[in-house]
């Protein structure tokens, strides 16, 4: 995580006031991919990369948002929030302010400094961490308390409606509600969740293929549309299927022929992934790591073959990991089409795993990967 003291210093130098600082983590998803918007199950963990948000009040009626990462600022009247997205980084914090305003809150004049170390466009939810850090900082400044699920929903709305990316609830939810050393099994239908401890003997190794991923890009939306099409077709036969969460493999066997092939494969991924995800939570709870590893392996194959959301580099990263000592399970994590793989590795092998995986991936692709040994961390909190 970036230094809280340093952010305070930067904020003080630029705005003349010492801020309250909040940290909101990125996340890695252990299993349950593209199931969130189908009202299914996901099991992510918050990680120790985060966005820091420092906030103070202003006297001049303006909102000034500063991104330390880019050395850039955006500013406007607090009474006249921007109505349209700009296509820039500032859409994420501005979207949160607008969504708060739409929910009836009055946005006070404020200075907001953002500074993060979540790798951008790598499938580790840098955008959700910016949204959640902003929401936590600004609501605290307003003296308003919003509960965890409501804050996650608010940030998701900002991303759906203002930024224009049709993401589900997973990233924002775990950035708010994650817990140190735990994975979080979330039921995306009613937002109930339980935490499962990640054993101390297990390292969370995240391997960045360096292939950029963007959920604002077309593929995420195409997949989501295919999932929704399959759902509508099945619902003609069983109207109680409101989302693919409600469908079974038997439904697919009976009526799958009516669904165009691509959408049928996407549906098969979602339906089987939901079953794998709840089974994976049980495996983690009973510390059955072999079973968890197997489920992650199956999940990767399903994501790659049925959902067709992997890429050659991610498939290779998973394949190479499978040959290294200490691996429990590996798969592509996040929205897909690049980004990072998540690897559960026996702690004593973690350092060797990291160096061998890096060297072999570099040799095969000519790309220098970034590999991070992470820890599951707490959700958004005040720091410093
Ligand atoms: C992105 C979205 C999430 C989720 C994942 C895929 O991270 O923001 O809502 O759909 O992709 O599991």
């Amino acid at each position: 995580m970036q230094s809280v003291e340093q952010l305070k210093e930067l904020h003080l130098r630029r705005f003349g006031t010492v801020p309250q600082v909040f940290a909101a983590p990125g996340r890695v998803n252990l299993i349950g991919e593209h199931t969130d918007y189908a009202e299914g199950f996901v099991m992510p963990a918050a990680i120790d990369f985060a966005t820091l948000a420092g906030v103070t009040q202003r006297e001049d009626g303006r909102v000034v948002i500063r991104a330390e990462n880019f050395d850039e600022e955006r500013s406007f009247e607090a009474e006249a929030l921007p109505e349209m997205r700009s296509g820039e980084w500032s859409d994420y914090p501005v979207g949160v302010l607008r969504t708060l305003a739409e929910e009836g809150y009055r946005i006070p004049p404020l200075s907001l400094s953002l500074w993060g170390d979540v790798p951008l466009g790598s499938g580790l939810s840098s955008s959700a961490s910016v949204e959640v850090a902003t929401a936590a900082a600004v609501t605290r400044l307003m003296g308003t308390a919003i509960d965890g699920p409501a804050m996650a929903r608010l940030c998701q709305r900002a991303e759906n409606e203002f930024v224009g990316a049709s993401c589900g609830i997973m990233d924002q939810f775990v950035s708010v509600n994650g817990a140190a050393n735990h994975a979080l099994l979330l039921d995306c239908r009613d937002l109930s969740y339980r935490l499962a401890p990640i054993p101390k003997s297990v390292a969370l190794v995240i391997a960045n293929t360096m292939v950029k991923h963007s959920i604002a890009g077309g593929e995420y939306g195409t997949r989501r549309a295919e999932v929704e099409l399959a759902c509508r077709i099945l619902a003609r036969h069983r109207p109680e299927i409101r989302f693919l969460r409600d469908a079974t493999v038997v439904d697919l066997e009976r009526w799958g022929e009516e669904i165009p092939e691509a959408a049928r494969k996407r549906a098969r991924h979602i339906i089987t992934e939901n079953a794998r995800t709840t089974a994976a939570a049980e495996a983690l709870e009973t510390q059955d790591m072999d079973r968890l590893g197997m489920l992650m392996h199956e999940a990767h194959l399903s994501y790659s073959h049925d959902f067709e959301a992997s890429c050659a580099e991610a498939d290779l990263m998973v394949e190479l990991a499978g040959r290294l000592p200490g691996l429990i399970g590996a798969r592509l994590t996040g929205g897909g089409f690049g980004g990072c793989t998540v690897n559960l590795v026996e702690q004593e092998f973690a350092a060797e795993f990291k160096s061998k995986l890096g060297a072999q991936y570099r040799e095969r692709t000519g790309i220098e990967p970034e590999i991070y040994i992470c820890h599951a961390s707490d959700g958004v909190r005040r720091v410093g």
Side-chain angles (χ1 to χ4, degrees):
M1 201 164 85
Q2 313 292 74
S3 152
V4 177
E5 287 316 309
Q6 223 173 324
L7 179 67
K8 282 187 171 172
E9 185 58 42
L10 290 167
H11 189 99
L12 175 64
R13 231 184 285 155
R14 169 65 184 87
F15 298 115
T17 41
V18 179
Q20 304 188 59
V21 181
F22 294 80
R27 66 98 188 93
V28 68
N29 189 18
L30 300 186
I31 193 163
E33 225 62 87
H34 280 253
T35 43
D36 57 354
Y37 56 76
E39 293 206 346
F41 297 92
V42 293
M43 190 166 70
I47 53 178
D48 38 7
F49 289 120
T51 298
L52 298 179
V55 71
T56 46
Q57 236 156 0
R58 295 178 70 89
E59 305 300 331
D60 61 357
R62 295 189 69 77
V63 169
V64 182
I65 308 176
R66 175 167 175 76
E68 286 298 342
N69 292 67
F70 312 124
D71 193 16
E72 279 177 20
E73 281 184 19
R74 177 92 191 265
S75 120
F76 40 83
E77 295 294 319
E79 300 286 343
L81 301 180
E83 285 179 15
M84 293 287 292
R85 73 184 75 126
S86 66
E88 307 274 319
W89 61 271
S90 59
D91 286 346
Y92 298 96
V94 172
V96 169
L97 299 184
R98 272 212 70 96
T99 310
L100 278 167
E102 277 163 25
E103 301 213 339
Y105 296 104
R106 184 142 182 246
I107 304 299
L110 57 89
S111 304
L112 180 71
S113 303
L114 297 169
W115 195 25
D117 64 357
V118 186
L120 301 180
S122 302
L124 300 178
S125 298
S126 50
S127 25
S129 78
V130 169
E131 292 152 11
V132 170
T134 301
V138 172
T139 51
R140 177 64 72 90
L141 186 72
M142 298 185 322
T144 309
I146 296 186
D147 70 31
M151 185 179 284
R153 277 269 182 250
L154 185 132
C155 292
Q156 183 200 11
R157 258 190 67 202
E159 187 152 346
N160 290 166
E161 292 168 19
F162 192 77
V163 179
S166 59
C167 65
I169 187 76
M170 166 168 71
D171 308 344
Q172 292 80 4
F173 196 92
V174 72
S175 182
V176 175
N177 300 296
N181 306 317
H182 286 73
L184 185 157
L185 176 76
L186 174 65
D187 181 340
C188 300
R189 168 148 285 171
D190 61 7
L191 301 190
S192 60
Y193 68 96
R194 51 185 216 263
L195 296 166
I198 299 174
K200 282 210 166 55
S201 57
V202 174
L204 209 53
V205 183
I206 297 175
N208 194 339
T209 62
M210 311 307 277
V211 177
K212 284 284 175 209
H213 125 119
S214 152
I215 71 164
E219 300 279 28
Y220 185 93
T222 314
R223 290 298 177 280
R224 187 168 177 161
E226 289 166 336
V227 166
E228 287 165 358
L229 171 67
C231 182
R232 280 198 303 278
I233 295 175
L234 292 178
R236 286 186 207 144
H237 299 280
R238 279 215 300 123
E240 60 275 29
I241 301 178
R242 291 191 297 121
F243 289 87
L244 278 189
R245 151 71 174 275
D246 306 307
T248 65
V249 278
V250 177
D251 295 326
L252 258 194
E253 277 160 18
R254 288 182 69 183
W255 300 303
E257 291 202 335
E258 297 172 24
I259 306 173
E261 193 193 345
R264 183 168 70 233
K265 288 168 75 181
R266 312 307 178 235
R268 188 164 60 201
H269 166 76
I270 301 292
I271 293 170
T272 57
E273 185 84 343
N274 276 326
R276 279 189 293 271
T277 302
T278 49
E282 276 162 30
L284 187 56
E285 282 162 343
T286 55
Q287 303 212 355
D288 186 346
M289 301 315 276
D290 289 344
R291 178 148 171 72
L292 177 58
M294 238 172 52
L295 289 161
M296 288 174 72
H297 178 70
E298 285 168 16
H300 181 77
L301 294 180
S302 171
Y303 205 33
S304 179
H305 299 157
D306 275 349
F307 213 68
E308 296 180 276
S310 188
C311 60
E313 293 84 351
D315 285 343
L316 177 68
M317 192 74 95
V318 167
E319 185 198 320
L320 294 173
R323 294 196 214 126
L324 293 174
L327 182 81
I328 297 165
R331 51 177 291 281
L332 172 60
T333 187
F337 313 100
C340 295
T341 66
V342 55
N343 304 268
L344 295 185
V345 181
E346 286 167 36
Q347 187 66 55
E348 53 184 312
F349 288 98
E352 178 189 344
F353 179 90
K354 172 177 167 170
S355 75
K356 288 194 168 151
L357 183 61
Q360 293 177 10
Y361 182 80
R362 180 173 55 243
E363 197 184 304
R364 292 281 294 274
T365 60
I367 303 170
E368 183 74 56
E370 285 176 7
I371 302 185
Y372 328 105
I373 300 183
C374 286
H375 297 94
S377 89
D378 281 325
V380 68
R381 61 214 179 265
R382 186 163 174 196
V383 285

